Amino acid sequence: MNYRHAYHAGNFADVVKHIILTRIVLYLQRKEQAFRVIDTHAGIGRYDLGGVEAGKTGEWRNGVGRLLDATIDAKVAELIQPYLDIVRAENADGEIRHYPGSPLIVRHLLRRQDRLSALELHPEDAALLTETFEGDVQVRVTKLDGWLALGAHVPPKEKRGLVLVDPPFEVSGEFDRLVDGLVRAHKRFSGGTFALWYPVKDRQEVRRFVAALHNTGIPKILRTELMIRPASPEPRMDGTGMIVINPPFTLDSELRIVLPALSKILSEEQNAGFTLEWIRGE
């Protein structure tokens, strides 16, 4: 599955992932103490929805495009408004032309004392990411394999924060790398929050992944998935998943409000649904 993100920016998976990301970072803001976000597969930061890549798929229209046009209940709106505000801030003239990737979303939410470490291995993408944050003293961009960061970059000196692992799933074995990377990083930063994104394409592979996470013995593992259609006979991404370790205590209840609304807005079929469960509790 080639998931070069420029083709998929702003799609349904981004919407769900970035709303969860926003809720986690906002929770970290509740304490005055500084935090750091480590984005292991940061991409280019900002995506042109009118560009060649996004234009070929148009996936954003059924993702962030639908959400921006939807009528949303007040309770849901309160929780997703910070995310929508960031998207609109990147499109000041009101026309949706640009979509902020995870490092740019995080940057919008950093306070003066907070920091972002954005890692990207692809040479062209790393160069674009560096250009986006040139001169920004709160952001450090490093051309590095994000998997290596799970050993070398944790714990951050702030001793609190979020590690976002959002691999492209371009090669086989990414689920195994997620589990192995989490175990390695959690040993060094057991009090940190980790958010691991994955595509729902092969249901059997996802089940093995969930079982492997349970078998790590790591506590406080929350799993959420949102499907846009039932399992497809041909290989394609039917849903998006996020694993959150040490989630904010508010996240479960917030997602129980948000996910039903997102499912209704983003799903292609009515019986697609969503999952929210604890793989492991305390």
Side-chain angles (χ1 to χ4, degrees), residues 58-241:
E59 290 184 15
W60 70 272
R61 298 182 185 280
N62 289 327
V64 68
R66 280 192 188 181
L67 187 61
L68 288 167
D69 291 339
T71 301
I72 303 170
D73 176 82
K75 289 185 178 179
V76 178
E78 182 180 359
L79 293 172
I80 69 172
Q81 195 60 50
Y83 161 74
L84 293 177
D85 287 345
I86 293 169
V87 173
R88 291 191 173 102
E90 290 293 319
N91 297 274
D93 61 358
E95 180 183 356
I96 302 301
R97 176 63 187 260
H98 298 104
Y99 186 80
S102 52
L104 205 56
I105 287 174
V106 169
R107 182 63 187 95
H108 276 273
L109 297 171
L110 295 184
R111 302 163 302 175
R112 186 172 299 178
Q113 65 268 41
D114 306 321
R115 296 293 183 268
L116 165 66
S117 294
L119 314 174
E120 176 55 49
L121 181 61
H122 191 284
E124 294 177 8
D125 289 0
L128 288 170
L129 188 64
T130 299
E131 183 179 332
T132 296
F133 291 110
E134 185 175 3
D136 191 331
V137 297
Q138 291 183 248
V139 180
R140 181 177 181 181
V141 176
T142 306
K143 182 181 176 296
L144 180 71
D145 184 345
W147 297 114
L148 298 177
L150 294 175
H153 283 241
V154 295
K157 66 179 182 180
E158 293 83 1
K159 305 301 182 184
R160 66 184 297 258
L162 165 68
V163 180
L164 174 64
V165 188
D166 181 14
F169 282 83
E170 292 177 329
V171 296
S172 61
E174 297 286 61
F175 282 107
D176 292 334
R177 290 187 184 91
L178 278 174
V179 176
D180 294 343
L182 171 63
V183 170
R184 187 168 67 252
H186 189 268
K187 287 179 180 178
R188 298 171 60 91
F189 189 33
S190 61
T193 297
F194 295 82
L196 319 176
W197 176 83
Y198 63 95
V200 181
K201 183 181 179 186
D202 183 331
R203 306 297 178 96
Q204 186 174 349
E205 192 171 23
V206 170
R207 286 194 290 271
R208 286 197 296 266
F209 171 56
V210 171
L213 287 169
H214 182 272
N215 291 338
T216 64
I218 294 172
K220 301 180 186 177
I221 304 179
L222 182 65
R223 171 196 177 202
T224 180
E225 286 182 5
L226 185 140
M227 312 305 297
I228 60 169
R229 53 181 165 259
S232 302
E234 70 280 2
R236 62 174 178 170
M237 196 167 78
D238 298 317
T240 180

Side-chain angles (χ1 to χ4, degrees), residues 20-77:
I20 294 173
L21 172 63
T22 301
R23 298 312 309 169
I24 294 172
V25 177
L26 287 171
Y27 183 82
L28 288 171
Q29 290 182 357
R30 293 189 178 190
K31 290 185 178 180
E32 185 63 25
Q33 181 186 355
F35 63 82
R36 182 177 296 265
V37 176
I38 300 171
D39 191 340
T40 65
H41 298 75
I44 65 174
R46 181 182 286 110
Y47 297 90
D48 183 358
L49 298 179
V52 174
E53 294 91 345
K56 283 185 177 180
T57 64
E59 290 184 15
W60 70 272
R61 298 182 185 280
N62 289 327
V64 68
R66 280 192 188 181
L67 187 61
L68 288 167
D69 291 339
T71 301
I72 303 170
D73 176 82
K75 289 185 178 179
V76 178

